[in-house]
């Protein structure tokens, strides 16, 4: 089919997700598995794969066709993940480009695999004489259906349900169901989402029956009055009479139950239905509800509505139900509000994905997603870029997430090629031949999801440019559902379509651009439907975006791109398991690891990025009023939650160790602030290098559905400004040093240690403690970090390449040595050969083996920014234990460390590797006071900042990380690589295709850098 105006044949009209039950109690339970009207067809089906339509078995659907020798395949599932065809990842490029030269609306012919499915079913006896339907919840991308050799229907639109009436085709006993699925169709031009291109029946397939008289569809609007106190409920139901049999009028009854299963209405709502003809009849029921428990993401209070269809004798014919929530979402006073309160979306975009099953995800994966989102302070999700599995919306209702429900539409590759916008090639634009299919997709999403309180915004789709069709879709939603607002970011690229969106929505706008919009008489509320591109090591300066939501009411948050890495678990030929990205399956064209931009990994473990998200998204703020007296200003940014629902925990640590703690409850109303006294005792400071830190946490008082008691929802740390009662400046070290020089080395010995410097390079070539050699390679200047995905996107490796070898390729210009009491001081001056910069290093060695090191970088003129300023050293891999006092416990960076706490942390060196899809810079720690790298005997080195350093301890060098494009390709390491930095530049993350880290998190080469630290042998 290459006609966009033919997108279905015999498909039933779209309706809400529903299932008939016999009793009110079963309907209240709402579990379709318990309904006698439900029969799942999930499981093993017969399957045949063909490279294209010309190779398929054209008569496989016939009743007498024998397919017993066919393979078996799991339904739901993608055939590419079950041994057929191959998955393909592309972002913008249509997947057939370069393979077939086709234009819209034509589908590929040579490159268009076909999957043929067959299964058999029997109709339950209790369905005898009743209608029988089949529902396909998701099939990618177009499919034909036959039963017992008869053609039933056809459907496109991958992500919306397709129901067909099987009643005329079924028979007693075994029935043959045949389905033919095409990888591509004309509608695939509308489905150019940034994701893995997969195929097959990937969501549930089930049969269902209904009585002759059936509630075919219903819409429940649970609204609030203008004061957001009392509710109104409006129920519109569509009743059908399947067989043309005469009957007396029926009665439609509605009962409402609260969360404790108490009936809300004094008397059930009732309406009469004259259903003497087969035509559908609509019934409307209305009622007021005094002071209902309101629904919000913070307080997801749900009610159950049960609809009962009775005959004129009062006998129940059918019951149906759904969960509803009383809430009002609106644009008022120029901002979006939920139940009268200004909303801030602390959101993520979420592709449906599993590294094992692709988009054929199940309940467990969805439940894990929703709990993680709640645990990390995420309150909103955009279903990028298609309607999700219906179960997802039930979970969002139940656990509390605001949903932007997105229409199945993206045509990015039709109007943007090689980074250039070409409106003249855009589809669907104004073309009338696409209009019916577009409105059908909108209608399918709206009808299915209209009763979910979590759905607050309808989205017309993603990155499909603009045109008259978008205004038509907008107007369709506003006419059918005025209770929600409509979103479409594409009007940013096509301002002629401005009327298609009720909000100003943008992607990857810089903070200064957002601020400019907010300051210039904004006409619409602003949100970022995509921002903080989380590809690889990313999400730097996230706080700049979230800070703007406090500064300007019109700036109402955004949705991080995105939730989960899209990577497929697979194996090498030798059986090594790894996570694959674009190109790993021989797929072409592909966009490599550009699918690796989740704040959780593909296996649903968390990344360091999500911890920063949690901090920036937290709803409680802390400021010092008078920290010496324990006075803290606490601001409750929740909309509907008093902080008395939580506990406040505080601790004071001294040099990393807990010395005081407390716990109490504080009452602060939503959107209010209060000065709270934290009852710690100001400790006495004995030595100048002692510090005391107050940490305040807001934690769950009791277990909730998504986390356990004690789960932290917000925190802040304060360094206490206490005065020292005793100051000990002097370095008092007993013992004598001996110095032995020859032509090539300087040897310094005392007690249990010896240090050897090379006169040729000026580097430490040996540092021994009790005959243990601590260094393979002593400290040497280093100005390079492994390239991150964001660095690659802004071409740092080209722009700053002169810094790559500068620490290694250096010339010693000057070396002096002098004795100072119980210390020896070496001063060196290097010329860095690539950049012609100067690097000065001073070593001061004490009799106990401690080495104070000061590095000074004097950049030459006209150089690019410096990836990092520091020194690198290498130890044997037996030194594999790491302890540090600084920010942690996870990786953190200059522009992404607000979610990390100062403390003492331990781990293995190998554990500091963060398994991004492509190896890259990772494992960094900021604000490190000291660190110890030791072997199993406790022997090693202690590195101390003066006062703080940045620290990286990994099993690999930057060169090794850059040379290997997958984690599994990294060699078995025989070393521990330590980088002690003044700073390394931030990771950035405004986007991953050009944006650089913000200026204040870079190291420009127009200034001199100086920092110092110490190294000392330790034995625990």
């Amino acid at each position: 089919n290459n006609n966009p105006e033919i997108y279905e044949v015999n498909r039933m009209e779209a309706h809400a997700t529903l299932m008939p039950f016999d009793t009110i109690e079963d309907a209240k339970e709402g579990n379709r598995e318990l309904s006698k009207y439900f029969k799942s067809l999930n499981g093993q089906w017969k399957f045949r794969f063909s490279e294209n339509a010309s190779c398929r078995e054209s008569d496989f659907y016939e009743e007498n066709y024998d397919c017993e020798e066919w393979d078996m395949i799991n339904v739901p599932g993608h055939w590419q993940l079950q041994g057929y065809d191959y998955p393909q990842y592309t972002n913008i490029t249509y997947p057939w480009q370069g393979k077939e030269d086709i234009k819209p609306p034509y589908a590929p012919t040579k490159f268009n695999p076909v999957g043929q499915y067959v299964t058999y079913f029997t109709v339950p006896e209790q369905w005898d004489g009743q209608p029988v339907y089949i529902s396909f919840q998701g099939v990618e991308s177009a499919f034909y259906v036959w039963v017992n050799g008869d053609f039933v229907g056809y459907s496109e639109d991958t992500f919306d349900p397709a129901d067909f009436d099987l009643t005329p085709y079924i028979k007693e006993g075994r029935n043959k169901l045949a389905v033919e699925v095409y990888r591509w169709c004309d509608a695939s031009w509308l489905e150019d989402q940034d994701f893995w291109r997969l195929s097959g029946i990937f969501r549930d397939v089930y049969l269902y029956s209904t009585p002759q008289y059936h509630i075919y569809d219903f819409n429940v609007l649970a609204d609030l009055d203008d004061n957001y106190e009392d509710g109104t409920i409006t129920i519109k139901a569509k009743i059908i009479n399947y067989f043309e049999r005469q009957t007396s009028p029926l009665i439609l009854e509605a009962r409402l139950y609260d969360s404790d299963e108490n009936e809300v209405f004094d008397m059930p709502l009732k309406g009469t239905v004259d259903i003497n003809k087969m035509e559908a009849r609509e019934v409307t029921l209305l009622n007021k509800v005094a002071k209902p428990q309101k629904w919000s993401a913070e307080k997801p209070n749900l009610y159950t509505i049960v609809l009962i269809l009775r005959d004129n004798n009062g006998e129940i014919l059918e019951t149906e139900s759904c969960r509803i929530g009383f809430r009002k979402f609106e644009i008022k006073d120029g901002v979006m509000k939920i139940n009268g309160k200004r909303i801030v979306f602390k959101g993520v975009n979420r592709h449906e994905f599993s590294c094992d099953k692709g988009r054929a995800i199940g309940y467990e994966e969805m439940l894990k997603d929703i709990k993680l989102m709640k645990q990390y302070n995420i309150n909103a999700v955009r279903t990028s870029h298609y309607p999700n599995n219906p179960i997802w919306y039930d979970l969002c209702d139940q656990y509390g997430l605001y949903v932007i429900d997105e229409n199945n539409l993206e045509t990015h590759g039709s109007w943007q090629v090689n980074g250039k916008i070409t409106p003249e090639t855009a589809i669907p634009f104004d073309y009338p031949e696409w209009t019916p299919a577009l409105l059908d997709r909108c209608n399918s999403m709206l009808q299915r999801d209209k009763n979910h309180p979590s759905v607050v915004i309808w989205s017309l789709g993603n990155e499909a440019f603009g045109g008259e069709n978008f205004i038509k879709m907008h107007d369709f939603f506003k006419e059918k559902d005025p209770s929600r607002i409509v979103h479409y970011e594409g009007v940013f690229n096509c301002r002629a379509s401005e009327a298609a969106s009720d909000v100003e929505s943008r992607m990857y706008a810089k903070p200064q651009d957002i601020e400019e919009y907010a300051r210039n008489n904004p006409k619409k509320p602003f949100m970022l439907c995509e921002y903080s591109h989380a590809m690889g090591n990313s999400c730097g300066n996230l706080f700049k975006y979230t800070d703007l939501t406090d500064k300007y009411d019109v700036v109402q948050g955004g949705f991080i791109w995105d939730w989960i890495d899209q990577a497929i678990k697979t194996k090498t030929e030798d059986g090594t398991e790894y996570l694959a990205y674009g190109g790993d399956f021989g797929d072409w064209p592909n966009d490599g690891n550009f699918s690796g931009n989740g704040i959780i990994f593909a296996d649903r473990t968390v990344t360091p990025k999500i911890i920063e998200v949690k901090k920036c998204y937290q709803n409680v703020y802390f400021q010092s009023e008078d920290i010496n007296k324990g006075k803290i200003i606490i601001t409750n940014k929740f909309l509907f939650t008093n902080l008395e629902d939580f506990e406040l925990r505080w601790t004071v640590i001294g040099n990393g160790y807990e010395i005081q703690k407390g716990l109490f409850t504080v009452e602060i109303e939503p959107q209010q602030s209060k000065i709270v006294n934290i009852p710690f005792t100001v400790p006495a400071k004995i030595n100048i290098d002692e510090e005391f830190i107050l940490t305040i946490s807001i934690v769950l008082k009791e277990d909730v559905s998504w986390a356990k008691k004690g789960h932290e929802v917000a925190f802040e740390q304060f360094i206490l400004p206490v005065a020292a009662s005793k100051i000990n400046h002097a370095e008092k070290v007993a013992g004598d040093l001996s110095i032995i020089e020859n032509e090539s080395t300087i040897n310094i010995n005392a007690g249990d240690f010896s240090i050897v410097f090379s006169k040729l390079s000026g580097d430490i070539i040996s540092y021994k403690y009790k005959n243990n050699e601590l260094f393979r390679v002593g400290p040497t200047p280093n100005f390079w970090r492994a390239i991150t995905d964001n660095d690659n996107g802004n071409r740092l490796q080209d722009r700053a390449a002169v810094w790559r070898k500068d620490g290694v390729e250096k010339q010693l210009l000057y070396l002096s040595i002098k004795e100072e009491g119980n210390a020896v001081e070496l001063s060196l001056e290097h010329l860095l050969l690539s950049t012609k910069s100067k690097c000065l290093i001073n070593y001061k060695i004490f009799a106990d083996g401690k080495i104070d090191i000061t590095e000074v970088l004097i950049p030459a003129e006209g150089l690019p920014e410096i990836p990092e300023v520091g020194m690198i050293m290498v130890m044997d891999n037996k030194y594999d234990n790491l302890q540090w006092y600084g920010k942690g416990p996870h990786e953190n960076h200059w522009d992404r460390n607000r979610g990390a706490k100062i403390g003492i942390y331990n781990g293995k060196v190998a554990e500091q590797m963060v398994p991004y899809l492509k190896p890259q810079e990772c494992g960094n720690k900021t604000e490190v006071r000291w660190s110890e790298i030791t072997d199993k005997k406790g022997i090693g080195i202690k590195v101390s900042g003066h006062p703080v350093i940045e620290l990286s301890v990994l099993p690999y060098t930057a060169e090794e990380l850059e040379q290997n494009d997958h984690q599994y390709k990294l060699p078995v390491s025989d070393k521990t690589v330590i980088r002690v930095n003044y700073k390394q530049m931030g990771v950035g993350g405004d986007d991953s295709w050009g944006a650089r880290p913000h200026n204040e998190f870079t190291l420009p080469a127009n200034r001199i850098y100086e920092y110092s630290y110490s190294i000392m042998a330790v034995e625990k």
Side-chain angles (χ1 to χ4, degrees):
N1 170 33
N2 290 308
N3 183 349
E5 295 181 279
I6 300 175
Y7 45 86
E8 61 87 8
V9 176
N10 294 339
R11 197 182 68 205
M12 294 165 59
E13 287 186 15
H15 55 81
T17 303
L18 50 81
M19 183 57 58
F21 295 93
D22 275 343
T23 70
I24 294 173
E25 289 305 313
D26 286 347
K28 283 164 60 180
E29 182 72 20
N31 183 355
R32 71 183 186 187
E33 304 283 342
L34 302 178
S35 171
K36 75 175 188 182
Y37 296 99
F38 172 82
K39 181 181 177 69
S40 174
L41 295 182
N42 293 348
Q44 294 257 301
W45 293 33
K46 295 291 184 180
F47 183 74
R48 185 181 187 278
F49 174 78
S50 302
E51 292 288 344
N52 53 50
S54 64
C55 303
R56 79 194 195 284
E57 293 288 328
S58 59
D59 58 349
F60 84 107
Y61 59 86
E62 292 182 357
E63 222 176 337
N64 59 358
Y65 182 95
D66 184 4
C67 58
E68 287 303 313
E69 299 302 315
W70 283 16
D71 296 338
M72 303 298 289
I73 197 170
N74 288 322
V75 172
H78 299 287
W79 68 58
Q80 287 90 350
L81 303 185
Q82 300 185 67
Y84 308 93
D85 201 1
Y86 57 85
Q88 181 180 9
Y89 168 66
T90 69
N91 172 17
I92 298 172
T93 305
Y94 281 101
W96 49 77
Q97 288 186 3
K99 297 182 177 182
E100 290 192 42
D101 186 16
I102 58 173
K103 303 294 182 186
Y106 294 99
T109 53
K110 296 178 183 177
F111 176 55
N112 195 357
V114 181
Q116 293 176 306
Y117 296 78
V118 172
T119 192
Y120 299 90
F121 65 88
T122 56
V123 176
E125 290 183 8
Q126 61 263 44
W127 293 7
D128 187 37
Q130 296 176 173
V132 177
Y133 308 101
I134 191 168
S135 181
F136 294 87
Q137 291 293 301
V139 181
E140 197 162 0
S141 65
F143 65 105
Y144 297 85
V145 181
W146 295 266
V147 169
N148 298 326
D150 292 326
F151 175 68
V152 173
Y154 168 81
S155 183
E156 299 171 355
D157 183 2
T158 295
F159 297 100
D160 286 304
D163 289 12
F164 298 96
D165 184 357
L166 301 189
T167 313
Y169 311 106
I170 56 175
K171 62 181 183 181
E172 288 187 13
R174 193 170 86 152
N175 292 267
K176 179 180 180 179
L177 171 63
V179 182
E180 186 169 85
V181 181
Y182 286 75
R183 183 164 189 178
W184 315 116
C185 64
D186 59 284
S188 299
W189 288 96
L190 301 178
E191 297 180 5
D192 189 33
Q193 287 92 339
D194 172 11
F195 62 8
W196 284 95
R197 313 305 169 109
L198 300 166
S199 313
I201 305 171
F202 69 97
R203 287 185 188 159
D204 291 345
V205 184
Y206 57 87
L207 301 175
Y208 66 101
S209 180
T210 70
Q212 173 189 342
Y213 310 109
H214 166 51
I215 306 168
Y216 184 85
D217 191 17
F218 60 91
N219 179 20
V220 183
L221 177 61
D223 203 358
L224 296 172
D225 64 17
D226 292 341
N227 295 320
Y228 314 104
E229 291 181 358
D230 294 330
T232 59
I233 190 165
T234 306
I235 304 163
K236 294 183 178 180
K238 182 186 291 186
I239 315 300
I240 63 169
N241 177 357
Y242 189 86
F243 301 108
E244 290 193 54
R245 299 172 184 161
Q246 298 296 311
T247 184
S248 302
L250 306 177
I251 298 168
L252 179 67
E253 181 179 299
R255 295 172 179 257
L256 185 64
Y257 299 88
D258 64 18
S259 57
D260 295 322
E261 296 193 11
N262 298 313
E263 282 209 55
V264 175
F265 302 145
D266 292 335
M267 295 289 292
L269 308 185
K270 291 185 180 181
T272 302
V273 188
D274 184 3
I275 196 74
N276 284 325
K277 296 183 180 178
M278 194 173 175
E279 297 171 3
R281 289 286 184 268
E282 290 194 353
V283 181
T284 300
L285 304 176
L286 297 165
N287 203 58
K288 291 184 178 181
V289 179
K291 293 182 171 49
Q293 295 292 307
K294 294 182 280 291
W295 187 94
S296 68
E298 295 174 30
K299 305 281 187 181
N301 296 301
L302 290 175
Y303 291 75
T304 301
I305 189 80
V306 176
L307 300 181
I308 305 108
L309 193 62
R310 299 180 185 271
D311 63 20
N312 63 341
N313 294 319
E315 294 295 319
I316 293 178
L317 302 173
E318 178 190 57
T319 63
E320 292 181 11
S321 69
C322 74
R323 306 284 190 263
I324 63 167
F326 287 88
R327 59 119 181 99
K328 184 187 285 289
F329 189 82
E330 61 192 331
I331 296 176
K332 188 176 182 181
D333 305 321
V335 299
M336 293 178 281
K337 294 184 176 182
I338 179 79
N339 302 339
K341 303 293 186 181
R342 169 183 170 263
I343 196 170
V344 175
F345 290 118
K346 302 182 177 190
V348 290
N349 285 271
R350 175 183 174 272
H351 269 296
E352 291 187 301
F353 205 78
S354 157
C355 62
D356 298 304
K357 297 182 284 187
R359 284 187 284 280
I361 65 172
Y363 176 80
E364 290 304 321
E365 291 101 333
M366 287 185 265
L367 184 62
K368 184 159 189 180
D369 282 351
I370 207 123
K371 287 186 175 182
L372 282 173
M373 288 180 185
K374 295 293 289 187
Q375 288 164 12
Y376 286 90
N377 292 333
I378 291 162
N379 73 357
V381 65
R382 176 177 176 229
T383 66
S384 53
H385 300 290
Y386 41 81
N388 285 188
N389 188 306
I391 296 171
W392 179 248
Y393 302 84
D394 292 337
L395 290 171
C396 290
D397 294 342
Q398 178 184 345
Y399 284 85
L401 282 178
Y402 302 114
V403 176
I404 296 182
D405 204 2
E406 191 141 271
N407 185 33
N408 178 23
L409 173 62
E410 179 168 338
T411 65
H412 203 168
S414 75
W415 59 272
Q416 187 169 19
V417 181
N418 297 324
K420 294 183 179 179
I421 294 176
T422 55
E424 63 275 8
T425 63
I427 58 171
F429 200 52
D430 296 335
Y431 302 117
E433 62 268 29
W434 292 103
T435 306
L438 295 169
L439 294 178
D440 177 73
R441 288 172 179 232
C442 292
N443 185 61
S444 292
M445 177 174 72
L446 180 143
Q447 301 303 343
R448 191 195 70 170
D449 299 337
K450 60 198 171 190
N451 294 326
H452 289 283
S454 57
V455 176
V456 295
I457 298 176
W458 300 118
S459 175
L460 304 183
N462 184 67
E463 293 179 325
F465 199 63
E468 190 63 31
N469 275 317
F470 291 90
I471 295 175
K472 290 177 180 177
M473 287 190 283
H474 171 276
D475 292 349
F476 169 84
F477 278 117
K478 298 303 282 189
E479 177 188 351
K480 297 292 184 182
D481 181 19
S483 73
R484 293 179 174 97
I485 70 172
V486 177
H487 156 274
Y488 182 57
E489 176 272 341
V491 303
F492 178 77
N493 292 306
C494 184
R495 288 297 184 186
S497 307
E498 187 74 36
S501 185
D502 298 336
V503 295
E504 176 71 9
S505 175
R506 296 191 192 174
M507 293 182 178
Y508 308 108
K510 304 295 189 290
Q512 61 268 27
D513 298 330
I514 301 169
E515 199 152 16
E516 182 182 2
Y517 176 85
R519 287 177 171 176
N520 284 277
N521 192 27
K523 301 296 189 295
K524 298 177 180 178
F526 182 97
M527 73 177 186
L528 289 156
C529 66
E530 294 179 20
Y531 81 115
S532 192
H533 198 263
M535 185 176 179
N537 196 348
S538 189
C539 293
N541 50 260
L542 175 64
F543 69 94
K544 286 194 173 184
Y545 290 96
T546 54
D547 285 354
L548 287 173
T549 63
D550 292 323
K551 194 172 182 180
Y552 302 100
D553 281 355
V554 76
V555 179
Q556 299 196 249
F559 297 78
I560 292 168
W561 187 267
D562 60 357
W563 173 243
I564 188 169
D565 277 355
Q566 293 182 73
I568 295 173
K569 191 181 291 181
T570 189
K571 291 182 179 179
T572 62
E573 290 184 2
D574 66 3
T576 301
E577 192 172 79
Y578 72 101
L579 290 167
Y581 52 75
D584 285 343
F585 299 96
D587 48 308
W588 180 86
N590 72 76
D591 282 291
N593 68 320
F594 200 70
S595 62
N597 31 42
I599 57 174
I600 64 171
F601 290 119
D603 62 0
R604 284 185 161 76
T605 55
V606 301
T607 76
K609 295 172 284 189
I610 197 174
I611 304 173
E612 187 77 358
V613 172
K614 179 181 180 181
K615 181 66 166 71
C616 292
Y617 277 5
Q618 71 182 33
N619 284 309
V620 186
Y621 296 177
F622 308 87
Q623 295 172 282
S624 171
E625 170 69 11
D626 187 343
I627 194 68
N628 282 320
K629 295 181 179 179
K631 294 185 181 300
I632 303 292
I633 302 172
I634 301 180
T635 301
N636 179 2
K637 300 295 290 185
F638 284 105
L639 302 184
F640 308 106
T641 307
N642 192 306
L643 291 192
E644 67 182 356
D645 291 358
F646 304 96
E647 288 179 331
L648 186 150
R649 291 184 179 175
W650 61 270
T651 60
V652 174
I653 57 173
N655 283 5
Y657 295 97
E658 184 182 290
I659 58 175
Q660 297 177 43
K661 65 179 179 179
L663 173 70
F664 60 93
T665 299
V666 58
E667 182 180 351
I668 304 177
E669 292 286 346
Q671 302 287 289
Q672 299 298 313
S673 299
K674 180 185 288 187
I675 297 174
V676 175
N677 185 59
I678 310 297
F680 64 87
T681 303
V682 177
K685 190 170 184 179
I686 305 302
N687 295 307
I688 193 164
D689 60 353
E690 278 189 308
E691 71 172 350
F692 300 94
I693 298 174
L694 169 68
T695 303
I696 306 174
S697 296
I698 301 294
V699 302
L700 291 179
K701 187 181 287 187
E702 303 291 344
D703 290 353
V704 295
S705 60
W706 46 268
K708 296 292 185 182
K709 175 182 178 180
H711 170 80
E712 184 179 79
V713 299
F715 83 90
E716 196 57 78
Q717 289 189 305
F718 300 90
I719 296 176
L720 300 178
V722 296
S725 59
K726 180 181 177 184
I727 296 177
N728 181 10
H729 286 291
E731 190 78 48
K732 295 180 179 178
V733 179
D736 296 321
L737 289 163
S738 69
I739 304 171
I740 303 171
E741 286 192 65
N742 58 36
E743 288 185 2
S744 60
T745 63
I746 301 168
N747 295 264
I748 302 169
N749 299 277
D752 290 327
F753 82 91
S754 65
I755 302 172
V756 182
F757 284 86
S758 166
K759 284 187 172 180
L760 180 64
S761 67
D763 295 339
I764 296 174
I765 56 175
S766 175
Y767 182 19
K768 288 185 178 179
Y769 174 72
K770 292 184 177 179
N771 290 320
N772 292 279
E773 181 58 72
L774 298 176
F775 287 138
R776 274 198 199 177
V777 180
T780 190
N782 181 64
F783 309 103
W784 192 258
R785 73 170 185 201
I787 292 299
T788 67
D789 287 319
N790 288 344
D791 293 338
N792 182 60
N794 66 51
R795 307 311 298 166
L796 177 73
Q797 67 271 40
D798 301 330
R799 188 173 63 257
V802 290
W803 293 109
R804 182 183 285 273
K805 297 290 187 181
D806 238 16
V808 177
E809 297 175 352
K810 63 185 188 297
Q811 178 184 348
L812 181 61
L813 301 178
Y814 172 83
L815 185 154
S816 73
I817 180 169
K818 65 178 181 180
E819 294 186 59
E820 277 193 359
N822 61 351
V824 176
E825 193 166 342
L826 275 74
S827 296
L828 302 90
E829 180 180 339
H830 296 281
L831 174 66
L832 305 178
L833 298 179
S834 295
T835 64
K836 308 306 179 187
S837 301
K838 294 287 184 67
C839 182
L840 313 179
I841 302 176
N842 184 271
Y843 297 96
K844 191 171 184 180
I845 302 100
F846 296 92
D848 60 354
K850 180 183 178 186
I851 310 171
D852 282 351
I853 304 173
T854 299
E855 181 184 43
V856 180
L857 174 66
I858 308 172
E861 292 185 3
L863 291 170
E865 74 268 37
I866 311 164
E868 70 182 32
V869 174
M871 301 182 79
I872 188 170
M873 55 205 83
V874 179
M875 301 177 75
D876 190 83
N877 68 345
K878 72 177 183 177
Y879 299 102
D880 64 347
N881 297 304
L882 174 65
Q883 184 178 53
W884 75 99
Y885 174 36
K887 288 221 163 185
H890 55 280
E891 162 196 271
N892 53 91
H893 290 268
W894 193 5
D895 59 354
R896 199 191 75 213
N897 66 359
R898 282 154 179 76
K901 291 179 184 172
I902 299 169
I904 295 176
Y905 303 103
N906 298 277
K908 290 292 186 181
V909 170
E911 294 169 349
Q912 310 315 305
M913 280 291 297
V914 183
Y916 298 116
L917 276 186
K918 217 177 226 188
Q920 56 194 277
E921 171 60 37
C922 64
N924 191 64
K925 314 293 189 298
T926 63
E927 298 186 29
V928 174
R929 280 77 169 150
W930 57 260
S931 173
E932 293 181 348
I933 303 99
T934 57
D935 64 11
K936 63 182 179 181
K937 297 178 182 178
I939 293 174
I941 63 170
K942 181 174 184 177
V943 182
S944 301
H946 298 165
V948 296
I949 51 173
E950 288 196 11
L951 181 76
S952 169
V953 185
L954 294 175
Y956 301 105
T957 63
E959 185 178 31
E960 288 173 310
L961 294 175
E962 291 177 344
Q963 286 175 346
N964 292 278
D965 58 6
H966 290 75
Q967 295 286 338
Y968 78 89
K969 293 183 180 179
L970 287 164
V972 175
S973 176
D974 62 351
K975 59 187 173 295
T976 292
V977 181
I978 305 162
R979 286 159 36 227
V980 180
N981 289 328
Y982 160 71
K983 288 274 195 303
Q984 69 161 267
M985 66 193 299
V987 293
D990 291 354
D991 64 50
S992 299
W993 48 89
R996 302 182 188 183
H998 289 206
N999 289 337
E1000 62 267 43
F1001 302 116
T1002 58
L1003 299 163
N1006 60 1
R1007 53 160 286 196
I1008 295 172
Y1009 293 93
E1010 178 176 348
Y1011 81 113
S1012 63
Y1013 64 98
S1014 65
I1015 294 174
M1016 185 172 181
V1018 293
E1019 182 176 7
K1020 291 186 174 182

